[in-house]
Every structure is written in C-alpha cells, then in structure tokens.
Amino acid sequence: MSRRTRRHITPLITVAGAAGAVLLSAGAATAHVRVIGDVIPGKPATLQFRVPSELAEATTVRITVEVPKDLMITSVPKLDGWNQETLPGTGDKGTQLVWTAEQGHEIQPAQSETFQANVGPIPDRYSLTFNTEQTYSNGTAVAWNQPQTGAEEPEFPAPVLVVDPEASPPPGSADGAQQPGTSASAPAPSADAATPAPAAAEDSDSGSSLPLIALIGAGVAVAAALTAAVLRRRGARDGSHA
C-alpha cells in the first residue's frame, strides 16, 4: 500500500495514508473502477461507473470522472446521498463529473456504488477511456488512469468502454500492440495451405506400399520352395518303384 500512497497523495498526508491505508483481500482489490454501457455509435446511451471501496480502514467520499472531449453529457441522474456537479473541461481535458458523498452515505470498505451519466451521441471508434480519481476519507486519492499495453492488467487501470470491436484499436493499447502493417486478428489459413502437397501424398503412398510388396514376394518364394520339395519327393518315389 505504500507504493499506492506515494504515487497518489500529497506529501502532507503521506504518513497518515501509509499508516491507515490497508488494502482489503486480493479479491476485492482486483475489482477496480469499471465503466459499463450498452452503446451504439451515433446513438445516445446511459453509462454506469461501478466504484468499489478497496481500503479496509477508510471509506470512499468522492469520485471524479473525466469524460472524453468528443462525448457530450446530456444529464446526470440524481443519486441519493451524493451531491453531483459537472465541471467544464480545460485544456486537453474533457468534462469532469464529480460526485461527493453526504455524511453517512460514503462507500464502506468492501462495498461498491454505481454512478450514472446520460451521454450522446457515442463517437464511432474502438473505445472510450474515462480516467477516474477516487478519494478516501483518510485523504488517499487513487488515480485510475493507466492504459493497458500488454496482456497483464496494470495496477491502476483506466476504465475503458469498448464501442466498436471491429474498429482499429488505438496505437499502443493491448489490442493495438501489433507490428506496423498487420491487423488486430491473425489471417485465416487459405484452402491451399490446408491441402497436402502432391509430392508429399505420393511419398506417403509409396512408403506405405513397400511393406505389402515385400510380403507378397516372400509368400511367392515360400510357395515356390514348397512346390520344388513336393516334386523332388514324388520323383524319388517313382524311381524306387521302377
């Protein structure tokens, strides 16, 4: 937990955070902040941000979600026990959605809360990323903003909503980590590649026929030897009678 505290809170509260920020079990800690939504490019949608409280000795008191610049917020449904405000984006940052808990409505350890936002229209691209900051009652602030660039999920992954799986993934992402000029999925094998070459088939046939030829030859030799022996015995018997 010391690593999380160093990276995400100010020096003023480092000591308090290190002393009180004890993570819950591994099962709860791997839940992370997620964004969920049934989306269609060009259409409005309702997004849900699921936020678990992962510290054992603190509650979640505030959530700040950064919305992509090309995504418009149409409305934010009221959530009982939470005050919500929408802040305009500045610089290269998009609109910020901020939820602050009222007294007694904080997210308790090992519990979660779902925050909703109505948006639209959905941009037509592979995915949307919603960098999120989670603030705890002991002053710890966790930034969920790390992109996934490999098979293993980062320590603080940014919430990502896949819009169009058939579109080109963003460069540098886990799905887009392809060599230049290659597609995201491997090409299907052609019919020619699945058909054995004629030469290989001929070699296989000739190789399998050799034992049969040898067996037939051996049989012929045995039969010839038996015939010769019978003829010699008959000739000897006829000579003795004469």
Side-chain angles (χ1 to χ4, degrees):
M1 191 55 229
S2 59
R3 177 182 177 186
R4 173 178 296 193
T5 302
R6 287 197 303 269
R7 293 179 56 187
H8 297 281
I9 63 177
T10 61
L12 181 62
I13 54 177
T14 298
V15 176
V22 179
L23 278 174
L24 296 171
S25 64
T30 55
H32 302 331
V33 177
R34 304 295 185 192
V35 56
I36 305 168
D38 187 8
V39 296
I40 299 176
K43 301 292 185 180
T46 297
L47 304 182
Q48 297 181 341
F49 301 94
R50 182 183 179 278
V51 181
S53 204
E54 299 185 353
L55 298 187
E57 299 181 358
T59 60
T60 297
V61 297
R62 186 168 63 251
I63 293 295
T64 302
V65 177
E66 182 182 335
V67 180
K69 294 185 66 175
D70 54 350
L71 182 61
M72 181 178 63
I73 303 296
T74 56
S75 64
V76 180
K78 181 175 176 56
L79 180 62
D80 185 42
W82 290 77
N83 296 317
Q84 192 277 328
E85 58 180 334
T86 302
L87 305 178
T90 57
D92 59 348
K93 292 187 176 182
T95 301
Q96 290 190 331
L97 302 177
V98 183
W99 287 271
T100 305
E102 297 176 358
Q103 185 69 30
H105 291 270
E106 304 89 346
I107 308 176
Q108 300 298 316
Q111 300 297 316
S112 64
E113 184 61 85
T114 300
F115 303 86
Q116 293 188 352
N118 296 322
V119 299
I122 298 295
D124 187 4
R125 63 171 185 254
Y126 180 79
S127 64
L128 297 169
T129 299
F130 298 84
N131 293 332
T132 300
E133 183 176 85
Q134 181 178 10
T135 305
Y136 287 90
S137 56
N138 64 357
T140 301
V142 181
W144 301 99
N145 59 3
Q146 294 178 344
Q148 183 168 344
T149 57
E152 185 176 353
E153 188 177 57
E155 186 177 4
F156 301 99
V160 175
L161 179 67
V162 175
V163 176
D164 183 3
E166 297 182 358
S168 298
S173 66
D175 296 326
Q178 302 284 330
Q179 294 182 354
T182 63
S183 60
S185 59
S190 62
D192 294 340
T195 305
E202 291 175 2
D203 291 344
S204 176
D205 292 341
S206 62
S208 61
S209 63
L210 288 177
L212 179 61
I213 295 174
L215 181 61
I216 294 174
V220 171
V222 171
L226 290 175
T227 302
V230 170
L231 291 176
R232 284 197 302 270
R233 183 176 296 179
R234 181 178 298 177
R237 187 171 60 247
D238 293 343
S240 62
H241 290 310

